[in-house]
Amino acid sequence: MRIMPLEKRGISNSRVVYGCMGIGGEWNSTPYTKEDIIIAEKAVEAALSIGITMFDHADIYRKGKSESIFGEILKKRPDLRDQIILQSKCGIRPSDGVLPTRFDFSKSHIISSVDGILQRLGVEHLDILLLHRPDPLMEPEEISEAFNQLRSAGKVRHFGVSNMSSAQIRFIQNSLPEPLVVNQLEMSLARLDWLDQGISVNQKAGLDTNFADGIMEHCQMQDIQIQAWGPLANGKFSGSSLDDAPETVRQTTALVQQLADKYETKPESIVLGWLMKHPARIQPVIGTSSAERIVACKDAVRVAESLTREEWYTLYTSSRGQEMP
């Protein structure tokens, strides 16, 4: 399998990322509990046990509690910090009941956000900081000033984006002295527009496909690591109830299980392996808090290397519910 962009840059060789959105208790201001800490510890241990050494956060996850609870784990295991890559995101300002949810890439907000992230995690620096969602009011020169200040202060080593098109990436990159290293997008066997966009060129069906044109190619050409959030599709093909599921999901779930039996693994590894077989060297960000489901992902790399072209297309065709154009 080809080397990932982050590995090329000497940043990380973790083929899968553990996304920490699921740990930290409820999505409110209620403090997390001892039970929440136990769940988080088991999840992190499960991730480490299958070779995951990269952990993804965002300042808004569980209202900051995801980072805080991870900080508790690092306090108990101070040696762990040097063994992992820490990534977090900023730029979303949730509604406070008076002001609406908005995006903020101002210099002051980026810098203050990072200070809060570092405090909650209890660390001196982030390996990677991502801008969470495109801010219509963003000014690349101001973003560059924030990044330069954070890098000079030793608070962030690398920068990237999330949910952005190739045009937006180029717009920001034009003012930056260092390359953006990550773009995080929703991608899975259930979310296929990133593939449909490409095969629908010169097809009427392409008019209904809403995915940033050229983003896959741009990231590959610029060695920007594509990270997939939601890669397990909330368990749609690996354990979720099929009671009200459409025929395409039932059929695809059956195919996933057949391949899991063939490759002597779990459905989760098939779903991730299918995604990782793409030549963009996609890096899935798994977000389950279940230690059992995390361990079920352990064979994803092996599956990605073993799936045949025919098996890959069979899964793709089944999930999209129609033949290739």
Short mmCIF file of all heavy atoms in Angstrom, two decimals, residues 143-198:
data_model
loop_
_atom_site.label_atom_id
_atom_site.label_comp_id
_atom_site.label_asym_id
_atom_site.label_seq_id
_atom_site.Cartn_x
_atom_site.Cartn_y
_atom_site.Cartn_z
N ILE A 143 -5.55 34.47 8.99
CA ILE A 143 -5.31 33.07 9.38
C ILE A 143 -3.82 32.81 9.43
O ILE A 143 -3.30 32.17 10.35
CB ILE A 143 -6.00 32.11 8.38
CG1 ILE A 143 -7.51 32.24 8.48
CG2 ILE A 143 -5.56 30.67 8.63
CD1 ILE A 143 -8.27 31.49 7.40
N SER A 144 -3.10 33.33 8.44
CA SER A 144 -1.65 33.14 8.39
C SER A 144 -0.97 33.76 9.61
O SER A 144 -0.05 33.18 10.20
CB SER A 144 -1.09 33.76 7.10
OG SER A 144 0.30 33.59 7.03
N GLU A 145 -1.41 34.93 10.00
CA GLU A 145 -0.84 35.59 11.19
C GLU A 145 -1.05 34.73 12.43
O GLU A 145 -0.15 34.58 13.26
CB GLU A 145 -1.48 36.97 11.38
CG GLU A 145 -1.06 38.00 10.35
CD GLU A 145 -1.77 39.33 10.57
OE1 GLU A 145 -2.45 39.48 11.62
OE2 GLU A 145 -1.64 40.22 9.70
N ALA A 146 -2.26 34.16 12.55
CA ALA A 146 -2.56 33.31 13.70
C ALA A 146 -1.68 32.07 13.69
O ALA A 146 -1.09 31.69 14.72
CB ALA A 146 -4.03 32.92 13.70
N PHE A 147 -1.57 31.44 12.54
CA PHE A 147 -0.77 30.23 12.42
C PHE A 147 0.71 30.51 12.73
O PHE A 147 1.37 29.74 13.45
CB PHE A 147 -0.89 29.63 11.03
CG PHE A 147 -2.19 28.91 10.75
CD1 PHE A 147 -3.21 28.90 11.69
CD2 PHE A 147 -2.40 28.25 9.55
CE1 PHE A 147 -4.41 28.24 11.44
CE2 PHE A 147 -3.58 27.58 9.30
CZ PHE A 147 -4.60 27.58 10.23
N ASN A 148 1.22 31.60 12.19
CA ASN A 148 2.63 31.94 12.43
C ASN A 148 2.90 32.19 13.91
O ASN A 148 3.94 31.78 14.45
CB ASN A 148 3.01 33.18 11.61
CG ASN A 148 3.10 32.89 10.12
OD1 ASN A 148 3.29 31.74 9.72
ND2 ASN A 148 2.97 33.92 9.30
N GLN A 149 1.97 32.87 14.56
CA GLN A 149 2.14 33.14 16.00
C GLN A 149 2.10 31.85 16.81
O GLN A 149 2.91 31.66 17.72
CB GLN A 149 1.04 34.10 16.48
CG GLN A 149 1.19 34.51 17.95
CD GLN A 149 0.24 35.63 18.34
OE1 GLN A 149 -0.03 36.54 17.56
NE2 GLN A 149 -0.28 35.57 19.55
N LEU A 150 1.19 30.96 16.47
CA LEU A 150 1.08 29.70 17.19
C LEU A 150 2.30 28.81 16.95
O LEU A 150 2.79 28.15 17.87
CB LEU A 150 -0.20 28.95 16.76
CG LEU A 150 -1.51 29.59 17.23
CD1 LEU A 150 -2.69 28.95 16.52
CD2 LEU A 150 -1.67 29.45 18.75
N ARG A 151 2.77 28.81 15.71
CA ARG A 151 3.96 28.00 15.40
C ARG A 151 5.19 28.57 16.10
O ARG A 151 5.99 27.83 16.68
CB ARG A 151 4.19 27.95 13.89
CG ARG A 151 5.34 27.02 13.49
CD ARG A 151 5.62 27.05 12.00
NE ARG A 151 4.55 26.45 11.22
CZ ARG A 151 3.69 27.11 10.47
NH1 ARG A 151 3.75 28.45 10.41
NH2 ARG A 151 2.78 26.50 9.79
N SER A 152 5.36 29.87 16.05
CA SER A 152 6.52 30.52 16.68
C SER A 152 6.53 30.30 18.19
O SER A 152 7.60 30.17 18.81
CB SER A 152 6.52 32.02 16.39
OG SER A 152 6.64 32.26 15.00
N ALA A 153 5.34 30.24 18.79
CA ALA A 153 5.24 30.02 20.23
C ALA A 153 5.38 28.55 20.61
O ALA A 153 5.38 28.22 21.80
CB ALA A 153 3.91 30.57 20.74
N GLY A 154 5.50 27.70 19.61
CA GLY A 154 5.63 26.27 19.88
C GLY A 154 4.35 25.59 20.29
O GLY A 154 4.36 24.49 20.84
N LYS A 155 3.21 26.24 20.01
CA LYS A 155 1.93 25.69 20.45
C LYS A 155 1.31 24.74 19.43
O LYS A 155 0.52 23.87 19.80
CB LYS A 155 0.96 26.82 20.77
CG LYS A 155 1.39 27.67 21.96
CD LYS A 155 0.39 28.77 22.26
CE LYS A 155 0.81 29.60 23.47
NZ LYS A 155 -0.18 30.67 23.77
N VAL A 156 1.61 24.91 18.15
CA VAL A 156 1.09 24.04 17.09
C VAL A 156 2.21 23.81 16.08
O VAL A 156 2.89 24.75 15.68
CB VAL A 156 -0.13 24.66 16.38
CG1 VAL A 156 -0.64 23.72 15.30
CG2 VAL A 156 -1.24 25.00 17.36
N ARG A 157 2.36 22.56 15.67
CA ARG A 157 3.43 22.22 14.73
C ARG A 157 2.99 22.18 13.27
O ARG A 157 3.75 22.51 12.38
CB ARG A 157 4.04 20.88 15.13
CG ARG A 157 4.78 20.96 16.47
CD ARG A 157 5.43 19.65 16.85
NE ARG A 157 6.22 19.83 18.08
CZ ARG A 157 6.83 18.83 18.73
NH1 ARG A 157 6.74 17.58 18.26
NH2 ARG A 157 7.52 19.08 19.83
N HIS A 158 1.75 21.74 13.02
CA HIS A 158 1.25 21.64 11.65
C HIS A 158 -0.22 22.07 11.62
O HIS A 158 -0.91 22.03 12.64
CB HIS A 158 1.37 20.20 11.14
CG HIS A 158 2.76 19.65 11.21
ND1 HIS A 158 3.73 19.93 10.28
CD2 HIS A 158 3.34 18.83 12.13
CE1 HIS A 158 4.85 19.30 10.61
NE2 HIS A 158 4.64 18.63 11.73
N PHE A 159 -0.67 22.44 10.42
CA PHE A 159 -2.03 22.95 10.28
C PHE A 159 -2.75 22.27 9.12
O PHE A 159 -2.14 21.80 8.17
CB PHE A 159 -2.00 24.47 10.05
CG PHE A 159 -1.38 25.24 11.18
CD1 PHE A 159 -0.02 25.48 11.21
CD2 PHE A 159 -2.17 25.70 12.23
CE1 PHE A 159 0.56 26.18 12.26
CE2 PHE A 159 -1.60 26.39 13.29
CZ PHE A 159 -0.23 26.63 13.30
N GLY A 160 -4.07 22.23 9.24
CA GLY A 160 -4.90 21.66 8.19
C GLY A 160 -6.30 22.23 8.25
O GLY A 160 -6.56 23.21 8.96
N VAL A 161 -7.20 21.61 7.51
CA VAL A 161 -8.58 22.08 7.44
C VAL A 161 -9.53 20.90 7.53
O VAL A 161 -9.11 19.74 7.53
CB VAL A 161 -8.84 22.87 6.13
CG1 VAL A 161 -7.98 24.12 6.08
CG2 VAL A 161 -8.58 21.98 4.91
N SER A 162 -10.80 21.21 7.58
CA SER A 162 -11.84 20.20 7.66
C SER A 162 -13.04 20.67 6.86
O SER A 162 -13.39 21.85 6.92
CB SER A 162 -12.22 19.95 9.12
OG SER A 162 -13.21 18.96 9.25
N ASN A 163 -13.62 19.76 6.09
CA ASN A 163 -14.84 20.05 5.32
C ASN A 163 -14.64 21.18 4.31
O ASN A 163 -15.53 22.02 4.12
CB ASN A 163 -15.99 20.42 6.28
CG ASN A 163 -16.26 19.34 7.30
OD1 ASN A 163 -16.63 18.22 6.95
ND2 ASN A 163 -16.05 19.66 8.57
N MET A 164 -13.49 21.19 3.65
CA MET A 164 -13.22 22.26 2.68
C MET A 164 -12.99 21.74 1.27
O MET A 164 -12.53 20.63 1.06
CB MET A 164 -12.01 23.09 3.13
CG MET A 164 -12.27 23.94 4.33
SD MET A 164 -11.10 25.32 4.44
CE MET A 164 -11.44 25.89 6.10
N SER A 165 -13.34 22.60 0.30
CA SER A 165 -13.14 22.30 -1.11
C SER A 165 -11.71 22.61 -1.51
O SER A 165 -10.96 23.26 -0.77
CB SER A 165 -14.10 23.13 -1.96
OG SER A 165 -13.71 24.51 -1.91
N SER A 166 -11.33 22.17 -2.71
CA SER A 166 -9.99 22.46 -3.19
C SER A 166 -9.79 23.96 -3.39
O SER A 166 -8.71 24.49 -3.13
CB SER A 166 -9.71 21.72 -4.50
OG SER A 166 -10.69 22.04 -5.48
N ALA A 167 -10.84 24.67 -3.83
CA ALA A 167 -10.74 26.12 -4.01
C ALA A 167 -10.51 26.82 -2.68
O ALA A 167 -9.69 27.75 -2.58
CB ALA A 167 -12.00 26.66 -4.68
N GLN A 168 -11.22 26.40 -1.64
CA GLN A 168 -11.04 27.00 -0.32
C GLN A 168 -9.64 26.71 0.22
O GLN A 168 -9.02 27.58 0.84
CB GLN A 168 -12.12 26.48 0.62
CG GLN A 168 -13.50 27.01 0.31
CD GLN A 168 -14.61 26.25 1.03
OE1 GLN A 168 -14.49 25.05 1.27
NE2 GLN A 168 -15.68 26.95 1.36
N ILE A 169 -9.15 25.52 0.00
CA ILE A 169 -7.80 25.17 0.45
C ILE A 169 -6.77 26.03 -0.26
O ILE A 169 -5.86 26.58 0.36
CB ILE A 169 -7.52 23.67 0.20
CG1 ILE A 169 -8.37 22.82 1.14
CG2 ILE A 169 -6.04 23.36 0.40
CD1 ILE A 169 -8.28 21.33 0.87
N ARG A 170 -6.91 26.17 -1.58
CA ARG A 170 -5.96 27.00 -2.33
C ARG A 170 -6.02 28.45 -1.88
O ARG A 170 -5.00 29.13 -1.80
CB ARG A 170 -6.24 26.89 -3.83
CG ARG A 170 -5.93 25.53 -4.44
CD ARG A 170 -5.90 25.60 -5.97
NE ARG A 170 -7.16 26.06 -6.53
CZ ARG A 170 -8.16 25.26 -6.88
NH1 ARG A 170 -8.05 23.94 -6.70
NH2 ARG A 170 -9.27 25.75 -7.40
N PHE A 171 -7.22 28.92 -1.58
CA PHE A 171 -7.42 30.30 -1.14
C PHE A 171 -6.65 30.58 0.15
O PHE A 171 -5.96 31.58 0.28
CB PHE A 171 -8.92 30.53 -0.94
CG PHE A 171 -9.29 31.93 -0.53
CD1 PHE A 171 -8.87 33.02 -1.27
CD2 PHE A 171 -10.10 32.15 0.58
CE1 PHE A 171 -9.24 34.32 -0.91
CE2 PHE A 171 -10.47 33.43 0.95
CZ PHE A 171 -10.04 34.52 0.20
N ILE A 172 -6.74 29.66 1.10
CA ILE A 172 -6.02 29.82 2.36
C ILE A 172 -4.53 29.59 2.17
O ILE A 172 -3.70 30.36 2.65
CB ILE A 172 -6.57 28.85 3.43
CG1 ILE A 172 -8.02 29.18 3.77
CG2 ILE A 172 -5.72 28.90 4.70
CD1 ILE A 172 -8.69 28.18 4.69
N GLN A 173 -4.19 28.54 1.43
CA GLN A 173 -2.79 28.16 1.25
C GLN A 173 -1.97 29.28 0.61
O GLN A 173 -0.77 29.42 0.88
CB GLN A 173 -2.70 26.89 0.38
CG GLN A 173 -1.29 26.34 0.21
CD GLN A 173 -0.69 25.82 1.49
OE1 GLN A 173 -1.05 24.78 1.98
NE2 GLN A 173 0.24 26.58 2.06
N ASN A 174 -2.61 30.07 -0.22
CA ASN A 174 -1.90 31.13 -0.93
C ASN A 174 -1.23 32.12 0.01
O ASN A 174 -0.24 32.77 -0.35
CB ASN A 174 -2.88 31.88 -1.84
CG ASN A 174 -2.20 32.87 -2.75
OD1 ASN A 174 -1.32 32.50 -3.54
ND2 ASN A 174 -2.60 34.13 -2.67
N SER A 175 -1.72 32.23 1.25
CA SER A 175 -1.16 33.18 2.21
C SER A 175 -0.29 32.50 3.27
O SER A 175 0.22 33.18 4.17
CB SER A 175 -2.28 33.95 2.92
OG SER A 175 -2.98 34.76 2.00
N LEU A 176 -0.12 31.19 3.17
CA LEU A 176 0.62 30.46 4.19
C LEU A 176 2.02 30.08 3.72
O LEU A 176 2.20 29.66 2.57
CB LEU A 176 -0.13 29.18 4.58
CG LEU A 176 -1.55 29.32 5.12
CD1 LEU A 176 -2.13 27.94 5.41
CD2 LEU A 176 -1.57 30.18 6.37
N PRO A 177 3.02 30.19 4.59
CA PRO A 177 4.38 29.80 4.22
C PRO A 177 4.60 28.29 4.27
O PRO A 177 5.52 27.77 3.64
CB PRO A 177 5.24 30.52 5.27
CG PRO A 177 4.36 30.60 6.47
CD PRO A 177 2.97 30.82 5.93
N GLU A 178 3.75 27.60 5.03
CA GLU A 178 3.89 26.16 5.19
C GLU A 178 2.65 25.46 4.63
O GLU A 178 1.55 26.02 4.64
CB GLU A 178 4.05 25.78 6.68
CG GLU A 178 5.26 26.41 7.35
CD GLU A 178 6.56 25.82 6.85
OE1 GLU A 178 6.53 24.65 6.37
OE2 GLU A 178 7.59 26.51 6.93
N PRO A 179 2.79 24.22 4.14
CA PRO A 179 1.65 23.53 3.53
C PRO A 179 0.60 23.08 4.55
O PRO A 179 0.94 22.70 5.67
CB PRO A 179 2.30 22.32 2.85
CG PRO A 179 3.53 22.05 3.66
CD PRO A 179 4.03 23.41 4.06
N LEU A 180 -0.65 23.15 4.15
CA LEU A 180 -1.71 22.52 4.92
C LEU A 180 -1.56 21.01 4.75
O LEU A 180 -1.33 20.53 3.64
CB LEU A 180 -3.07 22.98 4.42
CG LEU A 180 -3.38 24.47 4.64
CD1 LEU A 180 -4.61 24.89 3.82
CD2 LEU A 180 -3.61 24.76 6.13
N VAL A 181 -1.70 20.25 5.83
CA VAL A 181 -1.35 18.83 5.76
C VAL A 181 -2.54 17.88 5.84
O VAL A 181 -2.38 16.68 5.59
CB VAL A 181 -0.33 18.46 6.88
CG1 VAL A 181 0.94 19.30 6.73
CG2 VAL A 181 -0.93 18.63 8.27
N VAL A 182 -3.73 18.38 6.18
CA VAL A 182 -4.90 17.52 6.35
C VAL A 182 -6.14 18.21 5.82
O VAL A 182 -6.28 19.43 5.93
CB VAL A 182 -5.12 17.16 7.85
CG1 VAL A 182 -6.48 16.49 8.06
CG2 VAL A 182 -4.02 16.26 8.39
N ASN A 183 -7.05 17.42 5.24
CA ASN A 183 -8.42 17.86 5.00
C ASN A 183 -9.33 16.73 5.46
O ASN A 183 -9.22 15.60 5.00
CB ASN A 183 -8.67 18.17 3.52
CG ASN A 183 -10.04 18.81 3.29
OD1 ASN A 183 -10.66 19.35 4.20
ND2 ASN A 183 -10.51 18.75 2.05
N GLN A 184 -10.22 17.02 6.40
CA GLN A 184 -11.10 16.00 6.97
C GLN A 184 -12.49 16.14 6.37
O GLN A 184 -13.08 17.22 6.41
CB GLN A 184 -11.13 16.16 8.50
CG GLN A 184 -11.65 14.94 9.24
CD GLN A 184 -11.52 15.09 10.74
OE1 GLN A 184 -12.51 15.37 11.43
NE2 GLN A 184 -10.32 14.90 11.27
N LEU A 185 -13.00 15.05 5.81
CA LEU A 185 -14.27 15.05 5.10
C LEU A 185 -15.13 13.87 5.53
O LEU A 185 -14.59 12.82 5.92
CB LEU A 185 -14.03 14.95 3.58
CG LEU A 185 -13.14 16.01 2.94
CD1 LEU A 185 -12.67 15.54 1.57
CD2 LEU A 185 -13.89 17.33 2.82
N GLU A 186 -16.44 13.99 5.42
CA GLU A 186 -17.30 12.85 5.71
C GLU A 186 -17.27 11.90 4.51
O GLU A 186 -17.64 12.26 3.39
CB GLU A 186 -18.74 13.28 5.98
CG GLU A 186 -19.63 12.10 6.36
CD GLU A 186 -21.07 12.47 6.62
OE1 GLU A 186 -21.45 13.62 6.37
OE2 GLU A 186 -21.81 11.58 7.09
N MET A 187 -16.84 10.66 4.76
CA MET A 187 -16.70 9.67 3.70
C MET A 187 -16.94 8.28 4.30
O MET A 187 -16.44 7.98 5.38
CB MET A 187 -15.30 9.72 3.10
CG MET A 187 -14.82 11.10 2.70
SD MET A 187 -13.05 11.18 2.36
CE MET A 187 -13.03 10.52 0.71
N SER A 188 -17.68 7.46 3.58
CA SER A 188 -17.91 6.10 4.04
C SER A 188 -18.58 5.31 2.93
O SER A 188 -18.91 5.85 1.86
CB SER A 188 -18.81 6.08 5.29
OG SER A 188 -20.15 6.42 4.95
N LEU A 189 -18.81 4.04 3.20
CA LEU A 189 -19.53 3.19 2.26
C LEU A 189 -20.98 3.63 2.12
O LEU A 189 -21.65 3.27 1.16
CB LEU A 189 -19.44 1.73 2.72
CG LEU A 189 -19.99 0.64 1.79
CD1 LEU A 189 -19.35 0.70 0.41
CD2 LEU A 189 -19.78 -0.74 2.42
N ALA A 190 -21.46 4.43 3.07
CA ALA A 190 -22.82 4.96 3.01
C ALA A 190 -22.85 6.38 2.46
O ALA A 190 -23.91 6.85 2.01
CB ALA A 190 -23.47 4.93 4.39
N ARG A 191 -21.73 7.09 2.52
CA ARG A 191 -21.65 8.48 2.02
C ARG A 191 -20.72 8.45 0.82
O ARG A 191 -19.50 8.46 0.95
CB ARG A 191 -21.11 9.40 3.11
CG ARG A 191 -20.84 10.84 2.67
CD ARG A 191 -22.13 11.59 2.40
NE ARG A 191 -21.85 12.89 1.81
CZ ARG A 191 -21.70 14.03 2.50
NH1 ARG A 191 -21.79 14.01 3.82
NH2 ARG A 191 -21.48 15.16 1.88
N LEU A 192 -21.31 8.38 -0.38
CA LEU A 192 -20.56 8.04 -1.59
C LEU A 192 -20.38 9.19 -2.58
O LEU A 192 -19.82 8.98 -3.66
CB LEU A 192 -21.26 6.88 -2.31
CG LEU A 192 -21.34 5.56 -1.54
CD1 LEU A 192 -22.26 4.59 -2.27
CD2 LEU A 192 -19.96 4.95 -1.36
N ASP A 193 -20.84 10.39 -2.24
CA ASP A 193 -20.77 11.46 -3.23
C ASP A 193 -19.33 11.81 -3.62
O ASP A 193 -19.08 12.33 -4.71
CB ASP A 193 -21.52 12.71 -2.77
CG ASP A 193 -21.22 13.11 -1.34
OD1 ASP A 193 -20.41 12.43 -0.69
OD2 ASP A 193 -21.80 14.11 -0.87
N TRP A 194 -18.36 11.51 -2.75
CA TRP A 194 -16.95 11.76 -3.09
C TRP A 194 -16.49 10.86 -4.24
O TRP A 194 -15.57 11.22 -4.97
CB TRP A 194 -16.07 11.55 -1.86
CG TRP A 194 -16.19 10.19 -1.23
CD1 TRP A 194 -17.19 9.74 -0.41
CD2 TRP A 194 -15.26 9.11 -1.35
NE1 TRP A 194 -16.94 8.43 -0.02
CE2 TRP A 194 -15.77 8.03 -0.59
CE3 TRP A 194 -14.04 8.96 -2.02
CZ2 TRP A 194 -15.12 6.81 -0.48
CZ3 TRP A 194 -13.38 7.75 -1.92
CH2 TRP A 194 -13.92 6.69 -1.16
N LEU A 195 -17.14 9.72 -4.41
CA LEU A 195 -16.87 8.85 -5.55
C LEU A 195 -17.80 9.16 -6.71
O LEU A 195 -17.39 9.21 -7.87
CB LEU A 195 -17.04 7.38 -5.14
CG LEU A 195 -15.99 6.79 -4.21
CD1 LEU A 195 -16.41 5.40 -3.76
CD2 LEU A 195 -14.63 6.72 -4.92
N ASP A 196 -19.08 9.36 -6.40
CA ASP A 196 -20.07 9.61 -7.45
C ASP A 196 -19.75 10.86 -8.26
O ASP A 196 -20.03 10.93 -9.46
CB ASP A 196 -21.47 9.75 -6.83
CG ASP A 196 -21.97 8.44 -6.23
OD1 ASP A 196 -21.43 7.37 -6.60
OD2 ASP A 196 -22.90 8.48 -5.40
N GLN A 197 -19.13 11.85 -7.60
CA GLN A 197 -18.75 13.07 -8.31
C GLN A 197 -17.84 12.75 -9.48
O GLN A 197 -17.96 13.29 -10.57
CB GLN A 197 -18.04 14.03 -7.36
CG GLN A 197 -17.59 15.34 -8.00
CD GLN A 197 -18.73 16.32 -8.22
OE1 GLN A 197 -19.52 16.53 -7.31
NE2 GLN A 197 -18.82 16.89 -9.40
N GLY A 198 -16.91 11.83 -9.25
CA GLY A 198 -15.94 11.49 -10.29
C GLY A 198 -16.52 10.66 -11.42
O GLY A 198 -16.23 10.92 -12.59
#
